[in-house]
Amino acid sequence: MNSKTNSADTAGLDIENLPSHVAIIMDGNGRWAKKRFLNRIQGHEKGAQAVRKVVEAAREIGISVLTLYAFSTENWQRPKNEVIALMRLLKKFLASEKQNLFENNIRLNAIGQIERLPGDVRTALQKAMDATRHNSGMLFNLALSYGARSEIALAVRKIAEKTVAGEIDPGGITDKVVAEHLYTARMPDPDLLIRTSGEMRISNFLLWQIAYTEIFITDSLWPDFGRAEFIKIIKEYQSRERRFGKV
Ligand code: FPP
């Protein structure tokens, strides 16, 4: 049987060679707004619409894990009104998407310093995670107040505590043990990392997990990113040869 899909925009997509885990650095909301003489908040609102479209496309194609970088630990340093607007937008998104995620068999998960989020956002997040916890389709990770260095430091702390308690032998601290103490424990590493808005940076995102990840940078600003470009990048990914350091 032909494993290539046949619907219009997925024609040529090899469903047997899909990336299991796709991670995205969503960048360019501010520039998108500036180009239109809008304020940055309006750019983020449009960005939230792009999130809906990409989550839907990823689920439909059959991606197992989608991780979106929605708010970094560094983003707390943005002007107060922008942080408040982003938190409000996040809360609205979680409330409005909860049912949709549930019906589409998507399980929502959050990675990052969730305890730093305002109480009302944490409540909305918990409700959406609880509502979708038994779903078995795509895992949708939202990186919130996330920073990879803090994630690794936290893992080191947990491992040190277990070592002191005699639960882990220092000689037994392998790559696998470290990975098991990250927020992404038991998840496959990203196969594909996409960054929008043309910046050639990783910005403290999934530093441990992207050791062998294929990286795609697109000039599109996040609010302009959608299903068609997402599928195009996955097709490009499928044409790359991954060697994982071997010949
Ligand atoms: C980068 O744009 C984007 C962010 C800071 C966060 C991403 C947020 C969203 C997509 C909207 C809300 C998300 C959800 C899940 C509802 P930027 O402000 O850095 O853009 P710029 O570099 O052009 O200024």
Side-chain angles (χ1 to χ4, degrees):
M1 212 183 87
N2 186 356
S3 67
K4 310 231 175 195
T5 60
N6 288 318
S7 75
D9 58 357
T10 53
L13 192 66
D14 182 356
I15 52 166
E16 282 175 10
N17 183 27
L18 288 173
S20 295
H21 184 172
V22 179
I24 307 183
I25 301 175
M26 309 182 287
D27 194 12
N29 294 348
R31 275 161 284 172
W32 182 92
K34 197 171 176 196
K35 271 170 63 177
R36 288 164 180 79
F37 304 102
L38 299 171
N39 63 48
R40 296 180 56 80
I41 317 293
Q42 290 167 302
H44 294 314
E45 284 167 358
K46 192 74 184 167
Q49 291 175 22
V51 170
R52 285 189 194 96
K53 288 186 207 152
V54 171
V55 169
E56 170 60 19
R59 180 205 62 83
E60 201 194 309
I61 293 164
I63 301 298
S64 301
V65 187
L66 177 72
T67 301
L68 301 185
Y69 204 1
F71 195 86
S72 71
T73 45
E74 290 74 24
N75 286 159
W76 290 114
Q77 286 152 37
R78 291 198 173 194
K80 202 172 163 207
N81 71 329
E82 187 173 342
V83 172
I84 291 172
L86 275 166
M87 291 299 141
R88 204 172 285 157
L89 193 57
L90 185 60
K91 186 177 151 190
K92 196 170 137 204
F93 173 87
L94 291 165
S96 69
E97 288 307 295
K98 187 173 62 183
Q99 188 62 19
N100 197 25
L101 296 174
F102 174 72
E103 284 168 11
N104 284 297
N105 200 19
I106 297 169
R107 181 159 64 90
L108 179 73
N109 180 53
I111 61 171
Q113 301 166 341
I114 305 309
E115 66 285 357
R116 287 182 74 183
L117 300 174
D120 59 342
V121 177
R122 260 182 310 176
T123 304
L125 181 63
Q126 198 55 54
K127 280 188 182 165
M129 290 196 296
D130 287 346
T132 60
R133 72 183 316 140
H134 297 299
N135 282 353
S136 56
M138 186 174 84
L139 173 63
F140 171 26
N141 275 324
L142 264 181
L144 297 170
S145 189
Y146 174 87
R149 287 184 171 178
S150 303
E151 177 187 34
I152 294 168
L154 180 64
V156 171
R157 216 173 304 141
K158 287 187 207 158
I159 293 168
E161 281 164 8
K162 288 186 187 175
T163 308
V164 170
E167 292 165 33
I168 297 180
D169 172 46
I173 303 172
T174 58
D175 290 9
K176 192 163 167 273
V177 171
V178 175
E180 278 165 4
H181 289 82
L182 298 173
Y183 296 127
T184 50
R186 296 178 303 282
M187 295 176 201
D189 285 339
D191 302 291
L192 170 60
L193 171 68
I194 301 170
R195 181 170 187 144
T196 58
S197 92
E199 306 289 347
M200 307 281 181
R201 279 193 296 275
I202 298 298
S203 301
N204 201 15
F205 191 43
L206 302 174
L207 295 181
W208 174 278
Q209 297 88 337
I210 60 169
Y212 287 101
T213 301
E214 295 292 326
I215 300 176
F216 284 76
I217 312 281
T218 167
D219 285 334
S220 300
L221 303 174
W222 176 252
D224 292 326
F225 190 82
R227 176 189 167 93
E229 194 170 5
F230 185 63
I231 292 172
K232 190 169 149 260
I233 291 175
I234 294 177
K235 285 183 194 165
E236 262 178 68
Y237 161 88
Q238 293 185 326
S239 70
R240 286 195 190 177
E241 187 192 357
R242 300 184 73 194
R243 293 205 297 267
F244 299 95
K246 298 173 212 148
V247 288

